[in-house]
Amino acid sequence: MPEGPSIVILKESVQALQLEGQPLLSVSGTASIDFKRIRNQKLRSFNSWGKHFLICFDDCTIRIHLLMFGSYRINERKDSKERLSLVFKDAELNFYTCSVKLLEGRDEDLYDWSSDIMSRHWAPARALEKLQAHPDALLCDALLDQDIFSGVGNIIKNEALYRSGLQPYNTVAAVPVARLRQLIGDTRRYSADFLHWKKEGTLKAHWAVHTKKVCPKGHTVLKEYTGKTKRRSFFCPLCQELYRDGVGKAGK
DNA sequence: AAGGATGTTGCCTG
DNA sequence: TCAGGCAACATCCT
């Protein structure tokens, strides 16, 4: 479910309920947070940062991470126990199988908004700086680094690399800076497309390489478990370039 | 129909 | 002491 664009869909869904200003009448669930801290507090806003969904009060923020299996219901319940259930006058929000944390402070002070690929504050130049601070990192790892590309998950990683024509095994240092800039732009643009296609219900139909056996040009797609976290990478060795590490750098 | 996955944390081990 | 490995979370798709 949850890469950045899916969390934006969650945020937009609850924003449409117009609950801002309503007091939290009841809060419960199996999450181990201090419910007293937020009961009766007035909802200030909903927000998201990367894969984090944020419920904002005057001086504290609930952070929900859906991890791999998390789900939610709006004005509905599932059979399983709620990890967190929030009741307002006009609506009820239920979250399942997720990580819930209560953060002190306001959302705007808690995060670097320039790293959120879905944010209007996204700053590609800042992403390039952060990338270049990790010259030896593989692109597949760098894209999943939530401090650089907050909200990018495995699907966006694979599809953005395909769009950019770069293999996951490239190190940051080996790739010309113009192509790093292109990758940063493609990642942002694919994330916007992801949001659009997810809303349309056509996300999978638009995958070029993720879970595919052949790329759009008919070449065989490789599936390999790459990087520090051994996540699945799908890539086309013909359409996507591998720069030999150290090319152009003496002594390496 | 068993196995794995759009993800992260935290515990255990060496 | 610390880095790496991997179980846990519980659901859905292939």
Side-chain angles (χ1 to χ4, degrees):
Chain A
M1 235 9 235
E3 297 191 26
S6 297
I7 303 306
V8 168
I9 290 173
L10 163 56
K11 174 178 68 175
E12 290 178 354
S13 301
V14 294
Q15 282 175 340
L17 300 169
Q18 302 197 295
L19 302 175
E20 290 83 356
Q22 293 196 6
L24 183 54
L25 301 181
S26 156
V27 50
S28 59
T30 59
S32 53
I33 61 168
D34 180 11
F35 294 137
K36 295 192 306 291
R37 176 78 178 79
I38 46 177
R39 188 167 291 135
N40 294 323
Q41 286 230 24
K42 253 190 243 168
L43 176 73
R44 193 161 57 79
S45 60
F46 295 111
N47 205 350
S48 66
W49 178 87
K51 298 166 190 168
H52 298 193
F53 172 61
L54 305 172
I55 304 165
C56 310
F57 301 97
D58 280 339
D59 60 359
C60 64
T61 304
I62 301 177
R63 188 209 77 179
I64 293 178
H65 199 306
L66 296 176
L67 300 163
M68 198 81 104
F69 313 117
S71 61
Y72 60 91
R73 291 292 184 274
I74 298 170
N75 294 326
E76 283 177 27
R77 290 182 189 184
K78 299 176 62 169
D79 287 336
S80 50
K81 268 194 198 148
E82 283 76 33
R83 179 72 38 88
L84 183 69
S85 177
L86 303 174
V87 179
F88 298 93
K89 179 164 72 68
D90 294 337
E92 174 178 323
L93 311 180
N94 295 306
F95 298 90
Y96 304 87
T97 327
C98 53
S99 158
V100 179
K101 285 212 166 144
L102 184 52
L103 310 175
E104 288 301 324
R106 290 169 78 107
D107 56 338
E108 61 258 36
D109 303 323
L110 292 171
Y111 293 97
D112 174 2
W113 299 90
S114 75
S115 66
D116 179 1
I117 47 149
M118 301 307 291
S119 170
R120 62 197 162 89
H121 301 296
W122 165 251
R126 188 78 192 95
L128 180 61
E129 287 173 7
K130 290 178 183 171
L131 261 187
Q132 291 178 316
H134 304 279
D136 298 328
L138 300 184
L139 293 186
C140 56
D141 284 328
L143 280 163
L144 291 174
D145 185 334
Q146 298 300 296
D147 291 329
I148 308 177
F149 297 98
S150 326
V152 168
N154 210 35
I155 296 172
I156 296 175
K157 175 198 83 178
N158 284 326
E159 293 293 305
L161 281 170
Y162 179 77
R163 281 196 179 186
S164 272
L166 294 168
Q167 291 191 25
Y169 294 115
N170 283 297
T171 62
V172 169
V175 176
V177 67
R179 302 212 55 188
L180 290 178
R181 285 201 185 90
Q182 185 193 0
L183 174 63
I184 290 165
D186 282 332
T187 302
R188 167 81 162 176
R189 286 186 289 274
Y190 178 76
S191 300
D193 288 342
F194 183 126
L195 175 62
H196 176 73
W197 288 328
K198 180 90 180 172
K199 286 177 176 176
E200 240 181 31
T202 63
L203 181 66
K204 287 181 190 180
H206 283 93
W207 285 343
V209 286
H210 188 75
T211 73
K212 310 292 276 189
K213 293 257 194 276
V214 293
C215 81
K217 291 190 174 173
H219 308 137
T220 300
V221 166
L222 300 184
K223 169 185 165 183
E224 294 180 6
Y225 291 82
T226 66
K228 288 181 185 166
T229 51
K230 300 276 186 281
R231 303 292 303 278
R232 292 191 301 176
S233 282
F234 296 87
F235 64 97
C236 173
L238 297 179
C239 297
Q240 295 171 257
E241 200 161 351
L242 177 62
Y243 289 92
R244 297 290 303 274
D245 205 5
V247 166
K249 289 193 300 177
K252 235 194 154 200

